[in-house]
Amino acid sequence: MINWARYRTCGAALVLLWLAAGAFILQSLTRAEEGFEDPNTAALINDLISRNQVVIGQAASGRALVVTRPGAPLDADSPPTFDDIQPPDNPDLVFNRRIWERCLTLLQQYTAAANWGLAEPFDLALQDSRYRAVSLKPINFRYVNPYELPRTEEMTVPITSSARNAREGLRVLSQGVLLLLRPDAPDREAPLGPAQGDSEGVLVARRAVLHAADGSRLRLSLGEAAQGGFVLLVQPFDAKDEARGPGRQVGAGEYFLWNGRSFTVVAAKRGAPGQTQRAGGAGSPQFGDIIFSKAVNGRPTRIHILGESTTNLLGVRARGRTSFFDDAIRRDSVSDVSLTLVPELQAGSYYLLRKALEPVEIHPMGRPRRGAVTILDARTGAILANAGYPGFENRWIQGRRALISDVDLGRSPAQERHMAGSTVKVLTVAAGYLLFGNAHAELLPPSDNYLAIQQAFLNVYGEELGAPLEQPGAGVTPEANRRFAEAGGRGKVKQNFLDLLEQVFYVTPLVCRPCNSQSPPQCRPCHESLVRGNIASFFDERHLIDGLYPDRSQFPVLSASSMSAFRNYALGGEESRFTTMRLAAVLGTASDGKVISPFIVEALRTKEGHTLEGGGDAVKDFPPLANGLDSRRNTMISGMREALRKVLIPGGTGWFIEDDDSRQHLGTKPGREGDYGKSGTATYENDRFQDSLFVYRHGDYLVAVWLERADGGAPVESAVAEVLHKKFERHPAHRLTDRLVRLIETLEEGQ
Amino acid sequence: MPNDAGSEPSAPLQDPSDSGASLYILGGLFLLLAAYLVLTNFWRMADRVPDAVVLTGFVTELPPGQQRSFGYGGDGQDQSVDVPFQSPEMSNVSFRISREGAGYLIKADDDEVVVRRGRILPGRERLAPGSPEALELSDGDRFEARGTLGRASFTVSIPEDSNELRLRLARPLFYDIRRDANGQNRDQTRLVFGPAPEPLPVAHDELLFRSHFREGRPVRSYRISTLDNHLRLFAEGELGDEVTAQAAAQGSQPPPPPAPINLRPGDEAIVGTNIISYGHHVRPFLGTQVNVVRLFAFKLVAAILLAGVALLVGPHVRWPRGFLIYSCAGLFVSISLVLSGRDALFPPHSGRFSEYLTILYYCVLFLCMLRIPLSSGEETSSRSDYLRLLALYPIFFVIYLLISLPFAPTSYGLWDVFRAGVKVLFQCVGALAFALATNWVAHRALRRINEAEWSPSLMWRWILSPLVAILVLVFATWMAGGQEALTLGIGRIHLPTLLLPVVIIWVSAAARAAGEAEEMTGWWLLIISLFGLMAVGFYRFFSDDNGGASLLAAGLFFALFLSTRRRLVPALLALVLVVGGFGVAWLSRSPRFGLAWGGPEVGVLYFDQAKNLRLARDMAREGGRGLDLLIPAEVRSNIHNDLIAAFVAGYFGWLVFAFVFFAFFAFYYHLFDGLKTSYASRFVPGDDYDGEGYFDRARETLLAAGGSLILTFALQAAWVMTASLQKIVPLTGLDLQPISVSTISVLSFIVILLGTVTLAHTYREAEVNT
């Protein structure tokens, strides 16, 4: 009965089966895992949104997805059924019940991603007094092999702040609060709390008092520790102002709880570069005072001590990957890194940025307004602060599983270039001095556009414009157009101006594409390097370019093909774009006569224990571009300082409206007699709100501020008390600059 | 009548490799590899055992008439929940549970909820016809919440005389607690409760739990100390409160200081809305501190001893080309023990190692008992077998005690040991009784096959009876709320595991008998095929189990193919199975087929499954990182089925995977070829064999059934090994036997496969003995 042939067949089939399985497995090894893509569904969702078949937006009746603010939770509720949907008109879109289910799934996933601040998958627009999604951004479900990622345990390189610029004392950190208690600060008690109207910020004092909403207080003061150094003395008081117990001492590296908030105490100590700051008394090399590693829920986690103020500058870990600067450190050879940042200035810049922009959000634009602040040390070129708003809330990024590309986490606005507005006139006038030994410096205090264009034309083409412009507004006239046709254009740009632009002010005359764009950049390099010299070999240059280095600033005179374009560039509009860092550096160059290339790594220690310093070439003399440049430079320094000083006093544009509705000039306050700066606004077509800018010099501090569409425009100026035009809508960058200078002054007091 | 043309029988010659040295060399190589993997991995593991705080569930007060919401919780006011979940995979408001009268009702919110066979759609889809609004929950119920971000399974626990409702997590969350070189948690770990806690910029490690405290529990944070191998949670007071407490302590009414919570290893405590326990692996043993993971290697030695003793001393457990088969099985079992042992370090499946060893023990014991020739008429042989088994039993018992007892003898009294011993005694007696019953039934059936006069009425009875039994079993399972398994008081009966040998033996015997019907053979084969298809289809229809049904279909085909010389009916059956299989795949719209054959947009649609599979493949691609390989929680739970091949490649490396891949081939090929060859070698020409040998019916049936099982299991092994690594091969949910750490895997491999093969291999001798 037995059919042996069949048994033999089965034996052979077994061999074939294994060969086939082996071949399948080998083939699978050669394949890379790709992201999920579904262009049809994405296009279909966009189609449904555009035809209002799906409503995503703030709901008036709880029937739609609610977006209260980007990153806030969305609420999915009752989308229409498949039978109620009107099919798309586009015949190329596949639409059936199954794909409709997929649409719903995708919408939920995108919604969840947006809920946790991981992305902004929808473009929102204000319609009928509520935000509604107008389109879905095509987002791939990008994917990386998590096993190829660097181990999180290896992310242990502590990042510390500048020891050179540090102040002795103790830092007290809480959410949104940084107190620097210094023994040499003025003897005062700095208040902080609801009673003062400040719930967050940076304070520098010898003592501080925190006020709670229930009337209780907490007094913080410095004491001397038995083993040297400082200790924090905390004394709680109840609402009746009676002390609750004898108080307590809290050492560096410890924390305490008060009124539902936790406070951490961190030591600050001045030292030489390479003597890194430690986050208190942990004694471990793993704890720096900007970023360190600790286990949170069992996972090694990078903690940004300064919170959101550094997350978008130095990078966060999202989806198993660390971005930006933190990822660029070669961990196999670096023991720890010290940055030039001053914690008080970095955190203070961020908090003040947020505070400056929040009031303007009563005029929403569909996403948070952005802002940037850069503070440089004019002597050394060190970046003391480089804050961009909005930042990342680290816990949101780490909390939920992300489904989407971390590219959408975005860069800091401080690393992007923006329209410079009238702050570009600093460059224009300074270049005039350097080229011709004289310039229309008188244009600076009133920010005269007419003269600015004339000066720019002379600088760029070597000839006077010699044609009238419209008044007011310095609009282009037919005569000016004719004159441009004669003397202007790409071929007429003077080489000495281009040399000056690129080698002294480090600004490109071209329109640059972003470094990470698919097409090759027109200008090289397309970024400003912040880590140079032998120290650069300890970092991954590609990650630095992607995440840390700011865009190259551009004054694209070579692209000016008409008088109109030239006019706009000369006034800091359109593609005349600068980073706040470059604006601050240009002010430094114009006022000190030095070429400034900012740097951020003060020092690093190698695994072998060697300390390497960075920034040696950050401030240097002008290159030998032309005869007589030195003498013209001296003229420029005196001329610029004098003219820029007038900006800050009555008659200049450097004013703002204080809380008491009074008009304040930035340079008239005590201690600011030697300060100078320049205001700027950059206008948008069909938008009342303008970008507000300011560049400012206080002592050795160079400050540049940019606020996106935060300036309400001229109507406010004529009606300060007008209800619709709040005081924070006029020159908010001026006001912010004032607050920043105040912070610098408190830091400097007693030094 | 089908025109089936039979081929002429021709017995194979004895395979020269049957006793060749090459098989011993190959087997020795596999055994050496098994020993190497076990020793290196177990000793490495012991140095990396973490202590852990384990979140095992959530708890809330739920008085009658009230409702509680559960979920991750959102920032919006309408998204806050009464019991926040720690797991970020959960939706904002996952589900709600209300207490109405004496019962509890669950309603879905953002997530779909599955309770037993019931399914509640998420809130926004609840308008779908037929979807219930709510389902009842009772103590011990299991339910699952499925959302776009993930899923979680819970078991409901309702303490008596209490308003407390506890939801136990099927996959608890583990958080390591670090210790310094001296074994202490000097910096102390901070445990903070709150819906949106922030990590502190201090050196302490932190555990952040999304938890609300119940009324009257103002404490929000604790400091964890792990002194003396106990976990202590000290309440962390507010600055002012601490001082007030000190001041008040000097007055007349000192408030009691918050008492620390103490947890011994394995103990539980309710903190906030969370139930947490303490996982700790260093235990006192004879006055010293012993890392219990090192004892895993001793457990393994015990298991090897057990298997060796059982197979050497036990009665007649033999397979063709036994050394190679034994060494291959040893390699598979070793790999499984390493993986399950490693899993013990990274719970939630810390019990798998012991469970695997336990089921291994029972299955080997069962195998030994299965081979006692009850049909023997020779008293001495039978008595000798029983005596040997009797001598074996104390050895089994002692070894099993060693395996099953906890590793902290000092914390267990004599009474505990006695109770464990009694439990083992009863379990062994139960296994013995079941094995004897199986043995008795098998021998009766084989004798019946041999002696029966195959009249049409007997044929009908023989064909119909198993079919009816299968249909009743499947229907009863469905009625009892099960799908692929019938859950009874004695345990869970996995239907494909039970039905596969039934279908194979049924079809093999019937087809063998049909061969004696001469002109009617084709019709009988057609009827058998139809009835077999009916059984498989019935199971598939009621279970929705594509993997199990395909296994039954493969068994059906192989049994028919090997039991007859006709061509047409097996060819028709193959055609029907292939076409029907693809049809079912197409119609069932299963995510598994979609992921294999659909485009990338299907990956979006079935994101969870796709991510799981992709993580497994990624893990395999990074193979060979051993203990350094961090396995995501989503993948970890799959070492009991499809993704096991990725675990083997990822954990041991591609070289070891290649060895295992080859070992599986060697195992199945030589088992199949050896079975065939050994049958032929014992065949005495002119004895009874004439092509329609009456006396050999049982042997031929056993040969066909054994061969069919081998081929079916080989197909399963090749498929499962390929599916997790190659995208276009759909996942099946089946095991890689016996590496997959599941009862079914071991039971199928040792009892069903090896049991049947050893019966087929030795049956001739047993009959000769009679």
Side-chain angles (χ1 to χ4, degrees):
Chain A
M1 282 294 287
I2 297 176
N3 188 343
W4 295 111
R6 296 213 167 154
Y7 281 83
R8 279 193 287 272
T9 303
C10 288
L14 261 183
V15 177
L16 287 175
L17 178 67
W18 247 258
L19 287 175
F24 270 132
I25 292 169
L26 285 176
Q27 193 271 344
S28 76
L29 285 176
T30 63
R31 291 176 54 133
E33 294 290 344
E34 296 169 351
F36 303 135
E37 291 184 31
D38 192 356
N40 180 73
T41 309
L44 190 60
I45 289 174
N46 262 327
D47 179 80
L48 295 170
I49 289 174
S50 67
R51 292 187 296 115
N52 289 332
Q53 297 289 301
V54 174
V55 177
I56 302 167
Q58 279 188 322
S61 61
R63 296 282 299 170
L65 303 173
V66 179
V67 183
T68 52
R69 62 186 168 85
L74 307 184
D75 188 17
D77 188 29
S78 299
T81 63
F82 174 74
D83 298 325
D84 297 334
I85 290 281
Q86 193 177 352
D89 299 328
N90 184 349
D92 294 334
L93 289 178
V94 181
F95 182 64
N96 53 38
R97 191 178 295 274
R98 187 177 169 83
I99 290 178
W100 168 241
E101 288 170 6
R102 195 196 327 276
C103 285
L104 291 178
T105 306
L106 264 182
L107 278 173
Q108 276 189 298
Q109 289 175 341
Y110 287 142
T111 302
N115 272 351
W116 299 103
L118 300 168
E120 295 168 7
F122 303 108
D123 281 320
L124 303 174
L126 196 59
Q127 296 176 1
D128 304 328
S129 302
R130 64 189 185 125
Y131 286 117
R132 285 177 62 165
V134 290
S135 67
L136 171 75
K137 298 173 190 170
I139 298 174
N140 293 345
F141 284 68
R142 281 177 41 165
Y143 184 79
V144 290
N145 183 344
Y147 304 104
E148 288 177 349
L149 299 173
R151 292 284 305 278
T152 50
E153 287 88 339
E154 294 166 1
M155 295 171 49
T156 52
V157 178
I159 300 176
T160 61
S161 67
S162 168
R164 185 160 46 196
N165 293 306
R167 274 77 183 169
E168 301 266 354
L170 289 177
R171 291 193 184 101
V172 182
L173 300 157
S174 186
Q175 190 178 2
V177 171
L178 192 161
L179 303 175
L180 175 62
L181 299 182
R182 284 173 39 205
D184 49 1
D187 187 11
R188 68 178 183 207
E189 284 194 348
L192 187 71
Q196 283 67 43
D198 286 323
S199 60
E200 63 174 29
V202 174
L203 284 177
V204 182
R206 190 179 295 184
R207 289 196 299 273
V209 176
L210 306 180
H211 294 262
D214 63 358
S216 60
R217 295 182 300 130
L218 181 70
R219 191 174 64 205
L220 308 170
S221 55
L222 276 182
E224 291 194 2
Q227 65 274 24
F230 299 106
V231 68
L232 182 72
L233 305 174
V234 293
Q235 176 62 64
F237 294 90
D238 61 20
K240 297 174 184 169
D241 214 22
E242 292 179 1
R244 300 175 70 183
R248 190 174 134 189
Q249 292 188 355
V250 184
E254 296 180 345
Y255 69 94
F256 60 91
L257 306 177
W258 180 73
N259 219 34
R261 292 172 79 169
S262 54
F263 295 82
T264 303
V265 182
V266 178
K269 196 173 181 182
R270 186 185 285 273
Q275 289 182 338
T276 49
Q277 299 281 299
R278 300 290 177 210
S284 162
Q286 305 304 329
F287 293 92
D289 67 353
I290 291 184
I291 297 180
F292 69 96
S293 296
K294 66 186 277 188
V296 177
N297 283 2
R299 293 182 180 177
T301 306
R302 295 293 264 172
I303 300 293
H304 285 255
I305 286 191
L306 304 179
E308 290 177 61
S309 71
T310 53
T311 49
N312 63 0
L313 174 68
L314 304 179
V316 291
R317 188 169 178 81
R319 301 182 65 237
R321 284 200 295 183
T322 303
S323 53
F324 303 174
F325 179 79
D326 202 11
D327 196 33
I329 303 168
R330 296 195 188 281
R331 299 182 185 91
D332 52 347
S333 53
V334 176
S335 172
D336 56 52
V337 176
S338 169
L339 302 183
T340 56
L341 299 178
V342 174
E344 287 72 29
L345 293 181
Q346 179 69 21
S349 298
Y350 187 83
Y351 296 149
L352 291 170
L353 256 179
R354 180 158 65 188
K355 199 176 285 184
L357 286 168
E358 274 179 352
V360 200
E361 290 292 355
I362 62 169
H363 303 288
M365 51 181 286
R367 58 172 172 78
R369 282 177 165 78
R370 298 180 302 156
V373 168
T374 299
I375 302 176
L376 300 180
D377 185 335
R379 288 170 303 152
T380 63
I383 299 170
L384 306 179
N386 195 37
Y389 179 85
F392 306 145
E393 283 195 46
N394 215 8
R395 65 186 170 91
W396 279 11
I397 292 164
Q398 306 233 10
R400 283 273 192 178
R401 184 168 62 191
L403 307 180
I404 49 169
S405 165
D406 55 3
V407 170
D408 295 287
L409 294 176
R411 300 174 73 204
S412 166
Q415 286 150 297
E416 297 175 346
R417 51 178 173 252
H418 315 284
M419 286 192 291
S422 292
T423 55
V424 80
K425 292 169 185 167
V426 175
L427 186 150
T428 302
V429 176
Y433 275 114
L434 292 175
L435 289 169
F436 309 110
N438 200 3
H440 291 293
E442 68 276 18
L443 72 87
L444 292 172
S447 200
D448 188 322
N449 290 344
Y450 194 103
L451 284 178
I453 295 167
Q454 299 275 355
Q455 180 69 56
F457 198 92
L458 177 64
N459 292 349
V460 175
Y461 302 116
E463 295 184 27
E464 296 283 355
L465 176 58
L469 298 169
E470 286 177 359
Q471 288 283 20
V476 177
T477 60
E479 293 87 343
N481 276 331
R482 275 197 297 277
R483 180 65 182 140
F484 184 85
E486 288 170 13
R490 187 184 179 102
K492 302 285 177 55
V493 177
K494 293 297 179 187
Q495 186 58 44
N496 56 356
F497 177 76
L498 294 179
D499 291 343
L500 207 61
L501 199 62
E502 294 203 77
Q503 297 183 45
V504 173
F505 294 106
Y506 203 70
V507 173
T508 176
L510 297 164
V511 174
C512 293
R513 294 195 181 95
C515 287
N516 56 3
S517 67
Q518 297 298 318
S519 53
Q522 290 177 317
C523 47
R524 291 181 184 279
C526 55
H527 59 267
E528 275 197 58
S529 173
L530 304 183
V531 182
R532 298 179 296 273
N534 59 349
I535 213 167
S537 61
F538 291 88
F539 297 89
D540 185 324
E541 180 79 2
R542 187 171 52 85
H543 285 114
L544 291 176
I545 292 172
D546 287 347
L548 178 71
Y549 289 171
D551 295 337
R552 185 93 179 269
S553 297
Q554 60 192 30
F555 187 55
V557 290
L558 286 178
S559 302
S561 55
S562 67
M563 186 60 208
S564 176
F566 183 83
R567 172 204 175 270
N568 290 337
Y569 295 159
L571 298 182
E574 294 186 355
E575 292 302 322
S576 181
R577 291 171 181 258
F578 287 68
T579 60
T580 46
M581 184 179 297
R582 185 40 50 191
L583 284 176
V586 166
L587 178 64
T589 301
S591 55
D592 280 356
K594 300 278 188 183
V595 178
I596 298 179
S597 304
F599 70 102
I600 195 166
V601 177
E602 184 174 84
L604 65 79
R605 194 159 50 214
T606 66
K607 292 279 188 192
E608 291 76 31
H610 305 304
T611 299
L612 301 174
E613 290 188 36
D617 60 345
V619 177
K620 52 192 177 188
D621 292 331
F622 285 177
L625 295 176
N627 290 333
L629 187 61
D630 281 347
S631 62
R632 293 198 291 274
R633 182 182 62 188
N634 292 335
T635 311
M636 174 191 73
I637 292 170
S638 57
M640 290 299 293
R641 288 185 178 184
E642 185 182 346
L644 290 171
R645 170 66 195 162
K646 291 177 183 172
V647 174
L648 306 186
I649 58 178
T653 54
W655 58 267
F656 63 98
I657 307 298
E658 260 297 6
D659 292 338
D660 59 2
D661 288 345
S662 64
R663 179 182 287 211
Q664 289 285 335
H665 283 83
L666 277 90
T668 55
K669 294 189 176 179
R672 299 184 185 178
E673 293 78 8
D675 294 2
Y676 41 86
K678 179 71 186 81
S679 62
T681 51
T683 57
Y684 293 86
E685 204 173 338
N686 302 324
D687 193 340
R688 179 168 75 83
F689 285 90
Q690 310 161 347
D691 289 358
S692 182
L693 298 100
F694 213 95
V695 289
Y696 192 97
R697 176 151 186 168
H698 174 79
D700 288 327
Y701 293 90
L702 294 167
V703 181
V705 171
W706 170 78
L707 299 174
E708 184 185 25
R709 301 188 197 225
D711 194 323
V716 184
E717 197 171 348
S718 57
V720 170
E722 191 176 333
V723 175
L724 288 175
H725 301 298
K726 307 289 183 188
K727 46 187 168 286
F728 50 77
E729 286 183 24
R730 190 54 177 153
H731 296 332
H734 304 200
R735 185 184 166 99
L736 170 58
T737 304
D738 175 71
R739 301 298 191 264
L740 285 167
V741 176
R742 262 199 230 171
L743 176 61
I744 292 170
E745 286 167 345
T746 57
L747 268 176
E748 289 292 303
E749 280 175 338
Q751 289 287 299
Chain B
M1 180 173 179
N3 184 20
D4 282 8
S7 57
E8 288 302 315
S10 59
L13 297 174
Q14 182 168 359
D15 189 341
S17 66
D18 205 14
S19 58
S22 59
L23 290 186
Y24 282 92
I25 293 172
L26 190 60
L29 189 64
F30 288 147
L31 277 185
L32 281 176
L33 179 62
Y36 170 77
L37 292 178
V38 161
L39 290 175
T40 54
N41 281 285
F42 274 110
W43 287 103
R44 270 199 308 157
M45 279 178 201
D47 296 327
R48 303 198 180 194
V49 183
D51 293 344
V53 167
V54 190
L55 175 63
T56 60
F58 304 97
V59 63
T60 186
E61 297 279 342
L62 184 51
Q66 292 194 19
Q67 175 180 265
R68 294 284 181 269
S69 56
F70 300 78
Y72 191 79
D75 284 2
Q77 197 170 7
D78 58 341
Q79 292 170 324
S80 65
V81 287
D82 299 313
V83 182
F85 286 153
Q86 182 74 354
S87 169
E89 285 82 11
M90 305 308 299
S91 293
N92 287 338
V93 186
S94 183
F95 53 83
R96 297 171 196 273
I97 296 179
S98 59
R99 188 172 174 189
E100 297 174 11
Y104 293 81
L105 289 179
I106 184 168
K107 293 178 182 173
D109 212 295
D110 290 344
D111 289 344
E112 175 185 322
V113 172
V114 178
V115 189
R116 298 182 300 274
R117 293 179 58 82
R119 180 164 166 255
I120 319 173
L121 294 173
R124 64 194 188 90
E125 298 173 15
R126 207 175 298 140
L127 297 178
S131 173
E133 282 278 336
L135 288 171
E136 195 171 337
L137 282 182
S138 51
D139 189 32
D141 273 349
R142 291 190 66 174
F143 71 91
E144 189 174 81
R146 302 169 179 168
T148 49
L149 288 172
R151 58 181 62 187
S153 294
F154 303 90
T155 302
V156 180
S157 174
I158 304 170
E160 288 183 8
D161 303 327
S162 164
N163 286 331
E164 229 171 54
L165 171 71
R166 300 181 184 189
L167 301 183
R168 300 270 177 186
L169 278 167
R171 295 193 322 194
L173 304 172
F174 283 73
Y175 301 111
D176 294 351
I177 303 174
R178 290 187 186 174
R179 289 175 170 230
D180 63 14
N182 298 319
Q184 305 300 335
N185 183 230
R186 289 191 188 283
D187 281 336
Q188 296 194 352
T189 300
R190 187 164 184 255
L191 180 60
V192 186
F193 294 88
E198 299 266 1
L200 275 183
V202 289
H204 310 310
D205 292 349
E206 284 185 81
L207 302 178
L208 309 179
F209 277 15
R210 298 177 61 84
S211 171
H212 290 317
F213 273 95
R214 287 176 287 177
E215 290 295 320
R217 300 285 297 273
V219 178
R220 187 169 177 267
S221 46
Y222 288 82
R223 295 284 286 275
I224 294 175
S225 163
T226 55
L227 294 172
D228 303 329
N229 293 329
H230 286 202
L231 185 73
R232 289 181 186 159
L233 280 70
F234 295 92
E236 193 177 59
E238 284 250 334
L239 194 61
D241 295 337
E242 276 178 351
V243 176
T244 306
Q246 285 174 13
Q250 297 164 358
S252 57
Q253 291 181 328
I261 299 172
N262 288 297
L263 291 175
R264 293 190 310 173
D267 280 357
E268 277 191 347
I270 296 174
V271 189
T273 55
N274 299 284
I275 310 170
I276 65 167
S277 69
Y278 175 46
H280 175 56
H281 294 266
V282 177
R283 312 266 173 92
F285 182 71
L286 299 178
T288 59
Q289 298 293 314
V290 176
N291 188 329
V292 293
V293 181
R294 292 197 191 281
L295 298 179
F296 286 1
F298 292 111
K299 277 193 169 194
L300 187 64
V301 169
I304 291 170
L305 276 177
L306 163 71
V309 168
L311 297 173
L312 292 174
V313 183
H316 303 303
V317 179
R318 280 184 288 157
W319 304 293
R321 301 175 195 176
F323 182 70
L324 180 67
I325 298 305
Y326 182 78
S327 61
C328 286
L331 176 62
F332 304 150
V333 167
S334 301
I335 283 177
S336 194
L337 288 169
V338 169
L339 285 177
S340 60
R342 184 191 184 280
D343 227 26
L345 313 184
F346 301 96
H349 302 296
S350 53
R352 277 184 173 164
F353 183 79
S354 292
E355 287 167 17
Y356 191 83
L357 277 180
T358 306
I359 192 65
L360 198 65
Y361 164 81
Y362 281 125
C363 287
V364 171
L365 186 66
F366 190 92
L367 192 64
C368 295
M369 294 170 181
L370 195 67
R371 275 300 304 132
I372 299 172
L374 287 185
S375 60
S376 169
E378 193 173 326
E379 293 292 323
T380 52
S381 172
S382 181
R383 190 176 303 130
S384 162
D385 288 334
Y386 281 119
L387 285 174
R388 274 194 285 175
L389 191 66
L390 203 61
L392 199 59
Y393 187 80
I395 302 174
F396 282 173
F397 182 70
V398 170
I399 293 172
Y400 184 74
L401 277 182
L402 184 61
I403 292 170
S404 61
L405 276 182
F407 287 114
T410 54
S411 58
Y412 290 85
L414 280 176
W415 174 242
D416 295 316
V417 176
F418 176 75
R419 277 196 311 183
V422 170
K423 182 183 166 195
V424 171
L425 182 70
F426 277 103
Q427 285 172 340
C428 287
V429 168
L432 177 66
F434 194 65
L436 294 180
T438 308
N439 187 307
W440 185 80
V441 169
H443 280 81
R444 292 277 299 174
L446 290 170
R447 179 171 294 182
R448 176 77 174 141
I449 288 170
N450 260 352
E451 295 172 352
E453 292 287 344
W454 289 105
S455 62
S457 62
L458 180 62
M459 279 296 288
W460 278 114
R461 283 207 303 278
W462 183 257
I463 294 172
L464 273 173
S465 303
L467 175 65
V468 171
I470 289 170
L471 299 188
V472 168
L473 191 61
V474 171
F475 190 70
T477 303
W478 184 78
M479 288 295 287
Q483 284 184 297
E484 78 280 5
L486 175 62
T487 305
L488 299 174
I490 56 170
R492 184 170 176 269
I493 300 172
H494 188 240
L495 286 191
T497 307
L498 177 66
L499 295 185
L500 181 64
V502 171
V503 167
I504 284 178
I505 292 171
W506 163 44
V507 172
S508 299
R512 169 65 185 78
E516 298 174 17
E518 296 186 349
E519 292 180 358
M520 292 292 290
T521 299
W523 286 113
W524 281 123
L525 290 178
L526 198 59
I527 292 167
I528 292 165
S529 301
L530 285 174
F531 281 24
L533 279 174
M534 195 184 297
V536 175
F538 202 71
Y539 170 74
R540 168 62 188 79
F541 179 78
F542 281 99
S543 68
D544 285 334
D545 176 15
N546 289 322
S550 61
L551 211 58
L552 294 179
L556 169 67
F557 170 75
F558 287 129
L560 192 77
F561 187 70
L562 292 179
S563 303
T564 178
R565 286 179 288 170
R566 303 294 180 117
R567 291 176 181 163
L568 184 59
V569 176
L572 279 174
L573 179 64
L575 185 68
V576 169
L577 289 176
V578 170
V579 173
F582 275 100
V584 169
W586 178 260
L587 292 173
S588 67
R589 296 172 63 181
S590 160
R592 287 170 174 161
F593 295 117
L595 288 174
W597 302 331
E601 66 275 12
V602 182
V604 180
L605 189 60
Y606 304 124
F607 181 78
D608 269 349
Q609 296 94 325
K611 178 172 175 284
N612 205 20
L613 177 61
R614 203 161 51 173
L615 280 171
R617 284 200 291 261
D618 286 338
M619 182 174 61
R621 288 197 173 92
E622 294 300 307
R625 288 172 60 177
L627 285 173
D628 297 333
L629 191 65
L630 298 172
I631 299 174
E634 299 95 319
V635 180
R636 193 183 304 150
S637 64
N638 278 294
I639 72 169
H640 60 272
N641 54 37
D642 299 66
L643 303 184
I644 187 70
F647 272 78
V648 176
Y651 188 72
F652 296 102
W654 283 106
L655 188 62
V656 172
F657 178 81
F659 269 104
V660 172
F661 186 74
F662 181 65
F664 266 107
F665 170 72
F667 176 84
Y668 284 111
Y669 181 82
H670 284 286
L671 199 61
F672 183 78
D673 199 54
L675 188 63
K676 175 188 73 176
T677 309
S678 72
Y679 179 93
S681 68
R682 290 178 190 130
F683 167 70
V684 182
D687 186 3
D688 293 312
Y689 188 78
D690 58 359
E692 297 178 358
Y694 180 77
F695 184 69
D696 278 355
R697 271 199 210 126
R699 287 182 59 210
E700 290 179 11
T701 301
L702 273 180
L703 179 65
S708 302
L709 272 173
I710 294 169
L711 292 172
T712 307
F713 282 20
L715 181 65
Q716 177 181 342
W719 190 285
V720 171
M721 272 192 287
T722 313
S724 61
L725 302 170
Q726 169 58 265
K727 179 178 177 291
I728 64 170
V729 180
L731 296 171
T732 59
L734 297 173
D735 296 325
L736 179 61
Q737 301 160 348
I739 295 184
S740 294
V741 186
S742 71
T743 302
I744 297 163
S745 155
V746 180
L747 190 72
S748 295
F749 188 81
I750 293 184
V751 175
I752 307 292
L753 178 66
L754 293 181
T756 307
V757 172
T758 189
L759 276 177
H761 181 58
T762 57
Y763 185 72
R764 171 77 173 177
E765 293 172 43
E767 291 303 310
V768 167
N769 284 341
T770 62

